[in-house]
Amino acid sequence: MAYVAIENLYKTFPKSRPAKGADDLALLVSPDPPGEAAAVLKRINLTIKDGEFMVLVGPSGCGKSTLLRLIAGLESITAGNIWVGDRKVNDLPPKQRDTAMVFQSYALYPHLRVYDNLAFGLRRMGIDLSQVLPLSPGERGTEPLPSPGTEASQQLGQMLYQPHPWSTLLAALTRPLPPGLRYRSPAEQFIDQRVQAVAKMLQIETLLSRYPRQLSGGQKQRVALGRAMARNPQVFLMDEPLSNLDAKLRLETRAQIVNLQRQLGITTIYVTHDQVEAMTMGHRIAVMYQGQIQQVAPPLELYNAPANRFVAEFIGSPAMNFIPVQVQAPYLVVHEEFRLALPSHWEDRLWPYDRHSLWLGIRPEHLGLGLPAPKNICGQVVHQEALGSETYLTVKTPSLTLQARVPPDQAVAIGAEVWLAIAPDQLHLFDPSTDRSLVQA
């Protein structure tokens, strides 16, 4: 396995020249001057540790899939370096980077059976096949494959690269015979052992003789995963592999991917726009926006200590509430509808902002029902969502629209007047000029 290091990476795409007579429309659509390159990724610096599950998350168009394609070698970089282990792979073609990619659209070969889809990459690896690592001994009853360093595997690699003429002849002569009577070369026996081991791990042994058109969406996704696993690369690259599945199947496959990555220990980079997938799957999460990485941290750190307002708003569902307040040092924040004293640890951070405005952020779960008081916010319930385990209220005030979470047994009618209490120990403050968190500043 290997780590992945990305150093000061840039990617730009040249803008296409507008058609004749469309200059005015092009200027309306794009604020950039005609002919200038569009910067998709800017100053990307990221290190994924050996065996780590890294999730790239962000809204559509933020550059996360482009970054994955650059690592895979499907796009050329504009500037910077990409390292896979101790090799700089900037100029290497995809097949030499020792990565395997799982696409959103599965990308299975429709004319090949599941078995041949799984074996496709192995059959084209030539002498590199001898470098494929075995599965761990005893996994789901499978036997370990020969170690890459053994004499047997080295001989196998030579056979793949330079097969004996009689082997090719026997395979051709026996091809019309039933499968059980056909001659299989040592290389094909190795491939069969690997395919069967992967199929057992993914529980798709009964599907090996089917065509992709005969599979469900979840089965296709497992075959796509198996094709990547069969090569046992140094790095897995996954581009929103669950987005085509229904909610129940997405949940099951998500858990399966996490368990497989933990078993195999292969460095994995996973792209998604779904924050629930990001929070539940990754060891660390890189949040991207407008072609730049906003924050890299473990899931709970992102949730509890967002670096800026975008991360705070993007991570968490429903999104964080934001309220404009004015600071009255040492630890008082004031809004036209409430006045709130903050804990004493905010004193040093608030002094530089005395008589200035800040954004106060508070998550719905930290905004509950309270009693009438100057520190609480009075409003009217305009909408509610009862989810069984919890209920979310949308509360309208003269100048704010807030979301609050209340216990499911706490009945609140639409149109009722409520007082919302902010949990002082759970709030966040952001500088409006930079959007940076005061905790991170």
Side-chain angles (χ1 to χ4, degrees):
M1 304 313 110
Y3 70 92
V4 177
I6 302 167
E7 300 174 345
N8 207 30
L9 188 69
Y10 286 78
K11 176 61 180 177
T12 60
F13 288 107
K15 289 188 176 177
S16 58
R17 185 176 295 276
K20 188 176 180 180
D23 293 347
D24 294 338
L25 178 60
L27 290 175
L28 289 174
V29 173
S30 174
D32 299 323
E36 283 194 2
V40 179
L41 295 172
K42 297 168 282 188
R43 297 187 299 277
I44 300 294
N45 290 280
L46 181 64
T47 299
I48 298 98
K49 303 172 186 174
D50 185 7
E52 184 177 20
F53 197 123
M54 171 66 75
V55 178
L56 306 180
V57 68
S60 297
C62 70
K64 54 188 185 294
S65 290
T66 301
L67 178 56
L68 201 71
R69 292 172 65 84
L70 290 174
I71 298 171
L74 303 179
E75 300 279 357
S76 59
I77 67 174
T78 303
N81 296 311
I82 299 176
W83 298 78
V84 177
D86 56 358
R87 295 190 307 158
K88 187 166 74 170
V89 299
N90 293 23
D91 301 319
L92 293 180
K95 65 180 182 180
Q96 294 182 14
R97 298 194 180 199
D98 202 8
T99 63
M101 193 162 181
V102 180
F103 296 91
Q104 176 181 348
S105 59
Y106 315 131
L108 301 178
Y109 298 102
H111 63 292
L112 298 180
R113 298 180 188 272
V114 169
Y115 181 97
D116 296 311
N117 267 281
L118 294 176
F120 186 87
L122 292 173
R123 287 170 174 159
R124 280 147 185 81
M125 290 179 65
I127 198 167
D128 291 337
L129 185 59
S130 64
Q131 299 172 7
V132 175
L133 296 178
L135 294 171
S136 299
E139 282 182 354
R140 296 189 179 274
T142 61
E143 294 298 326
L145 302 179
S147 171
T150 64
E151 182 180 351
S153 64
Q154 292 174 2
Q155 291 175 353
L156 178 57
Q158 293 172 0
M159 291 178 183
L160 286 164
Y161 190 65
Q162 295 178 331
H164 292 291
W166 60 264
S167 178
T168 306
L169 178 62
L170 277 177
L173 291 174
T174 59
R175 189 173 293 119
L177 299 177
L181 300 177
R182 294 174 189 168
Y183 171 78
R184 289 196 306 173
S185 67
E188 274 298 321
Q189 294 177 33
F190 180 92
I191 290 171
D192 179 71
Q193 191 176 2
R194 184 68 191 176
V195 167
Q196 296 293 342
V198 169
K200 283 186 179 181
M201 180 175 286
L202 292 172
Q203 301 179 17
I204 55 174
E205 311 101 295
T206 59
L207 307 179
L208 292 177
S209 61
R210 296 189 189 180
Y211 288 99
R213 64 178 179 271
Q214 299 171 316
L215 304 178
S216 67
Q219 290 170 339
K220 289 179 182 178
Q221 193 59 72
R222 279 187 283 170
V223 174
L225 286 170
R227 186 174 58 188
M229 289 171 53
R231 292 183 51 228
N232 209 21
Q234 294 194 72
V235 181
F236 279 145
L237 305 174
M238 301 189 182
D239 189 8
E240 303 196 43
L242 307 184
S243 58
N244 292 337
L245 306 182
D246 60 60
K248 181 181 179 182
L249 194 55
R250 189 182 303 122
L251 184 65
E252 294 174 356
T253 310
R254 187 171 74 203
Q256 189 174 43
I257 290 175
V258 172
N259 291 334
L260 286 172
Q261 196 275 338
R262 188 181 298 118
Q263 285 181 8
L264 299 174
I266 295 179
T267 306
T268 302
I269 306 174
Y270 186 101
V271 163
T272 182
H273 63 272
D274 187 336
Q275 57 171 291
V276 176
E277 284 184 20
M279 294 290 288
T280 55
M281 297 179 75
H283 297 147
R284 286 191 302 158
I285 302 172
V287 182
M288 297 185 65
Y289 180 58
Q290 294 183 342
Q292 293 182 302
I293 292 178
Q294 304 294 311
Q295 186 176 2
V296 182
L300 290 181
E301 183 178 334
L302 278 181
Y303 190 82
N304 295 320
N308 56 42
R309 181 175 168 178
F310 173 78
V311 176
E313 190 171 11
F314 188 80
I315 299 296
S317 181
M320 182 181 287
N321 299 291
F322 292 96
I323 305 171
V325 295
Q326 188 175 54
V327 176
Q328 293 183 7
Y331 41 79
L332 190 67
V333 292
V334 179
H335 184 268
E336 59 185 74
E337 299 181 32
F338 67 93
R339 298 167 61 89
L340 181 66
L342 304 186
S344 58
H345 65 78
W346 283 102
E347 181 175 349
D348 293 338
R349 295 189 177 95
L350 290 183
W351 270 114
Y353 294 92
D354 189 27
R355 307 298 173 181
H356 289 77
S357 296
L358 292 174
W359 284 107
L360 183 151
I362 189 72
R363 297 197 182 277
E365 58 266 36
H366 302 140
L367 191 62
L369 299 181
L371 300 174
K375 66 178 181 179
N376 294 338
I377 307 170
C378 181
Q380 185 180 41
V381 177
V382 296
H383 181 69
Q384 67 170 304
E385 296 179 356
L387 304 180
S389 60
E390 56 196 10
T391 299
Y392 287 99
L393 305 178
T394 302
V395 179
K396 184 80 173 175
T397 78
S399 62
L400 302 169
T401 299
L402 305 172
Q403 283 196 306
R405 187 177 75 181
V406 298
D409 56 352
Q410 199 163 5
V412 181
I414 300 292
E417 182 180 271
V418 295
W419 287 82
L420 299 179
I422 297 174
D425 293 332
Q426 301 293 339
L427 60 79
H428 305 264
L429 294 174
F430 302 92
D431 186 328
S433 62
T434 64
D435 281 344
R436 298 287 299 175
S437 168
L438 264 61
V439 174
Q440 299 284 337

